[in-house]
Amino acid sequence: MAALTPLDGGQIKQSRASLVGGIAVAIGVFVLWVAIARELQAEGVLPLLAGAAVSALVGLWIWRADL
């Protein structure tokens, strides 16, 4: 039985627009994270570091998934 292979070789394509979109979404997520942290009166560096990590992961996912 023949194996099915994608026409593009199965590579994930990442365009410049996807990269810019991922960066924009990451910035937006971080801004919202900081706003919510301030509203909940979370002070210190730890909430900001957590927000930076979450926003970086979301931005990376947007870029890699080409959304």
Side-chain angles (χ1 to χ4, degrees):
M1 179 182 265
L4 297 175
T5 58
L7 294 176
D8 63 355
Q11 298 295 324
I12 296 175
K13 297 178 183 176
Q14 293 93 18
S15 64
R16 184 175 300 270
S18 180
L19 176 63
V20 172
I23 292 170
V25 168
I27 291 170
V29 167
F30 185 70
V31 168
L32 289 174
W33 185 284
V34 170
I36 291 171
R38 285 189 182 182
E39 188 69 27
L40 295 174
Q41 298 176 352
E43 297 178 5
V45 176
L46 189 59
L48 295 178
L49 289 176
V54 168
S55 64
L57 289 173
V58 169
L60 181 64
W61 178 68
I62 293 293
W63 173 57
R64 294 293 291 180
D66 202 21
L67 298 176

